[in-house]
Amino acid sequence: MPIPKTNFNPPFNITRASHLVFTVRDLARSRDFYTEVMGLIVSDEDAGTLWLRGVEERAHHSLTLKKATGQPQCERIGFRAFTDDDLAKAKAHFDKTGIKATFVETPHQNRTLHFNDPAGTPIELVATMERRPRMYTKIHQHKGAGALRMDHYQVLVPDVLANARFYMDLGFRISDYLYVEAANVVVGTFLHRKNNPWDIVFLTRSGPRYHHGGYVVEAFEDIVRACDVAGNLGFGDRIEHGPGHHGHQHSYYLYVRDPDGHRTELLLPGIQLIDIDEEPVKCPVNANANSNLWGLPAPKSWVEEATNFAGVTIRKPLVEGSPMTAEKYLSEKKPEAVAR
């Protein structure tokens, strides 16, 4: 199956995954989770909104939490454009290609452009926002995992190649892709703009739905510390999957869910990908196999559950897969093998 080609002369310059906007029901409880377990820093807050950043980040925020009633949602995922001129170029490009794009006013951000990708995912682009001091060397103030910076998002979509093609036209590159050989179909694409394997990941499911965002930590010990802090502060049941080691994705991981169910991955820094001759790596998906290097497959909740985007219609893929889950993996093991 042909993999889309990257446009190395895109109409404007996106540099990286940047920030997220969630709605939550209990702002105080969410504050405790993200500051004490994740180790994020509060940049600003008011009665209804909390803006947070990683200890390495100078940008005002990489996560915005808004108090709301009803089902918690992801309002938008954000990318950084390189300059304000790139925002103007983006608006002109989307106008030309028939994609609705609107400039909006957003607190603590400068000029901000809203649009939806072909799957319907709500996106915003910003080139600059308010700055805050890096807290990276203030070790005595670090908490929990001491999350360094926002790294990537994973979004569930009905057609991963169609969505990948849209982003590759904008300069994104595929680092890895998941391929089911028996069905001759690509079910996952890992795309990047910065120099590691991920900025946005697409997996085939009903969507678009927000699956998780990744924050980088400095060392594996920070992942263990996050688990211990979560247990001590009553968030132990929010640890969903891991710690473990991905097979093809080159990184250790831990998946945790905040009090409203929004999922975050804590991971170590990814490998470096810069050179133009780095070709996409095909990662075969085998039926009834565990793709992790070690550790159990993901639980059923990780496979099936995700956060809805605000005001977006969810569509089903043409073919629904049946990914391996921890529950299925264990049920198919002989009792004596599990006991060992």
Side-chain angles (χ1 to χ4, degrees), residues 93-119:
H93 171 75
F94 291 138
D95 287 348
K96 182 179 179 180
T97 55
I99 294 174
K100 182 180 179 181
T102 307
F103 283 109
V104 299
E105 296 291 327
T106 304
H108 307 291
Q109 296 178 192
N110 295 322
R111 201 178 193 196
T112 301
L113 184 68
H114 281 185
F115 66 96
N116 289 59
D117 72 13

Side-chain angles (χ1 to χ4, degrees), residues 174-178 190 248 250 273 278-284:
I174 287 183
S175 60
D176 309 88
Y177 62 98
L178 303 180
F190 300 77
H248 73 284
H250 333 291
L273 293 177
E278 283 271 10
E279 292 293 329
V281 175
K282 181 171 73 172
C283 303

Side-chain angles (χ1 to χ4, degrees), residues 6 19 28 30 42 74 101 104-105 124 140 142 157 211 214 216 225 238 253 287 294 317 320 322 334:
T6 293
H19 57 286
S30 294
V42 175
C74 179
V104 299
E105 296 291 327
E124 71 177 29
H140 63 292
H142 293 186
V157 298
H211 189 268
V216 170
R225 179 177 171 82
R238 309 313 294 166
Y253 66 84
W294 54 264
E320 291 274 13
S322 181
K334 293 181 179 179

Side-chain angles (χ1 to χ4, degrees), residues 16 18-24 27 30-31 33-35 38-45 49-54 57 59-66 73-78 107-109 124 129 147 149-150 153 210 213-215 258 262-264:
R16 63 180 177 90
S18 172
H19 57 286
L20 290 163
V21 183
F22 289 152
T23 63
V24 300
L27 201 58
S30 294
R31 188 188 201 279
F33 176 84
Y34 283 104
T35 58
M38 296 284 294
L40 299 183
I41 305 295
V42 175
S43 294
D44 270 296
E45 59 184 315
T49 310
L50 190 64
W51 293 268
L52 304 113
R53 70 187 192 278
E57 294 177 311
H60 180 272
H61 56 271
S62 54
L63 178 62
T64 300
L65 304 178
K66 296 182 177 180
Q73 297 178 318
C74 179
E75 288 194 353
R76 295 196 168 269
I77 64 175
H108 307 291
Q109 296 178 192
E124 71 177 29
M129 61 173 67
R149 61 187 178 274
M150 170 67 69
Y153 324 113
Y210 174 84
Y215 270 93
D258 75 5
H262 304 306
R263 183 183 290 110
T264 300

Side-chain angles (χ1 to χ4, degrees), residues 151-152 190-192 194 196-201 249 251 267 270:
D151 183 72
H152 69 271
F190 300 77
L191 296 105
H192 66 103
K194 60 183 184 300
N196 77 8
W198 324 282
D199 277 292
I200 191 163
V201 177
Q249 290 181 329
S251 185
L267 71 154

